[in-house]
Amino acid sequence: MEIVINRNLIFAENQYLETERLKLRPVTLSDANDMHEYASDEETVTYVFPIHQSFKDTKESIANYFMAAPLGKYGIELKATGKFIGTIDLRVVDQHNIAEIGYSLNKSSWGQGYVPEAAHELLRLGFEELQLMRIFATHDIDNPKSGRVMEKIGMKIEGNIPNARMWKGKVVTDIIRGITLEEWQNRHN
């Protein structure tokens, strides 16, 4: 007999997660100032999303993306200061029992291990609670720092897709990395 998993309920019960240094929580309009700080910085958003030209762009992004369908989407907040420094999300494809992870971080917080720390917690949620069989992520070949984050959380290169898409007027080669349930379990046993 197949056990049906209500992933929306699991996400709803896990809207607030904690790691050693971070709180992962829903994104709200009160995060607009902190988000605009990095969303309006070209270096930060080069590979992630179109730059926010105005504060209104940031508020619309929060309302339309994070608040309209909040399950699986988290703001990253530093426990020590309460500062909102980025976002991370787990986008589940129910019929295939897999999910894609994505993230964005204020460049003032780069290189401190915050995204791997947050991503480890989402991998735990994905494999232990949501009972996924594989979690993957994609990065532009010209953005090796994002690939390094994926490496740190145990993701292996699964493929290289030349001419994968157009992004900001440029032809992009994407690298797909992933980790399976078995690989996750082997790392944590």
Side-chain angles (χ1 to χ4, degrees), residues 81-93:
T81 63
K83 173 112 173 125
F84 175 94
I85 58 167
T87 60
I88 189 163
D89 58 350
L90 193 62
R91 299 179 293 273
V92 174
V93 184

Side-chain angles (χ1 to χ4, degrees), residues 98-175:
I98 62 173
E100 181 175 10
I101 199 165
Y103 41 82
S104 179
L105 191 72
N106 189 320
K107 75 177 177 193
S108 68
S109 296
W110 288 359
Q112 297 174 55
Y114 294 132
V115 174
E117 186 174 323
H120 271 292
E121 183 59 17
L122 287 197
L123 291 181
R124 183 205 61 75
L125 179 69
F127 289 128
E128 293 179 11
E129 309 283 333
L130 299 169
Q131 298 181 21
L132 299 170
M133 64 178 198
R134 177 174 157 265
I135 298 174
F136 69 97
T138 305
H139 72 90
D140 184 319
I141 198 167
D142 293 334
N143 187 12
K145 286 180 181 171
S146 189
R148 184 71 188 114
V149 167
M150 296 169 197
E151 232 176 82
K152 286 178 182 174
I153 62 173
M155 290 185 164
K156 296 179 180 153
I157 293 177
E158 297 175 334
N160 187 323
I161 307 165
N163 299 349
R165 59 193 165 95
M166 287 295 294
W167 180 247
K168 297 183 179 180
K170 173 183 152 235
V171 177
V172 172
T173 294
D174 275 335
I175 295 177

Side-chain angles (χ1 to χ4, degrees), residues 1-178:
M1 183 175 147
E2 187 180 342
I3 297 170
V4 177
I5 305 206
N6 185 328
R7 293 193 171 113
N8 283 336
L9 176 58
I10 292 167
F11 272 132
E13 292 171 341
N14 289 277
Q15 288 185 79
Y16 296 86
L17 301 170
E18 284 197 23
T19 67
E20 186 183 334
R21 302 177 296 165
L22 306 171
K23 285 183 181 177
L24 304 181
R25 55 154 181 87
V27 179
T28 68
L29 286 175
S30 64
D31 298 314
N33 283 327
D34 285 344
M35 182 181 283
H36 188 71
E37 185 181 305
Y38 68 83
S40 61
D41 175 64
E42 184 57 51
E43 186 181 2
T44 300
V45 303
T46 298
Y47 303 102
V48 195
F49 52 82
I51 192 166
H52 291 190
Q53 301 290 342
S54 68
F55 189 64
K56 183 175 180 265
D57 289 348
T58 302
K59 288 181 11 182
E60 287 176 351
S61 172
I62 290 171
N64 294 339
Y65 184 74
F66 293 99
M67 294 179 77
L71 298 181
K73 299 170 185 166
Y74 298 88
I76 302 171
E77 178 184 308
L78 294 176
K79 279 185 183 178
T81 63
K83 173 112 173 125
F84 175 94
I85 58 167
T87 60
I88 189 163
D89 58 350
L90 193 62
R91 299 179 293 273
V92 174
V93 184
D94 266 316
Q95 67 268 32
H96 299 304
N97 211 27
I98 62 173
E100 181 175 10
I101 199 165
Y103 41 82
S104 179
L105 191 72
N106 189 320
K107 75 177 177 193
S108 68
S109 296
W110 288 359
Q112 297 174 55
Y114 294 132
V115 174
E117 186 174 323
H120 271 292
E121 183 59 17
L122 287 197
L123 291 181
R124 183 205 61 75
L125 179 69
F127 289 128
E128 293 179 11
E129 309 283 333
L130 299 169
Q131 298 181 21
L132 299 170
M133 64 178 198
R134 177 174 157 265
I135 298 174
F136 69 97
T138 305
H139 72 90
D140 184 319
I141 198 167
D142 293 334
N143 187 12
K145 286 180 181 171
S146 189
R148 184 71 188 114
V149 167
M150 296 169 197
E151 232 176 82
K152 286 178 182 174
I153 62 173
M155 290 185 164
K156 296 179 180 153
I157 293 177
E158 297 175 334
N160 187 323
I161 307 165
N163 299 349
R165 59 193 165 95
M166 287 295 294
W167 180 247
K168 297 183 179 180
K170 173 183 152 235
V171 177
V172 172
T173 294
D174 275 335
I175 295 177
I176 296 179
R177 295 178 189 253

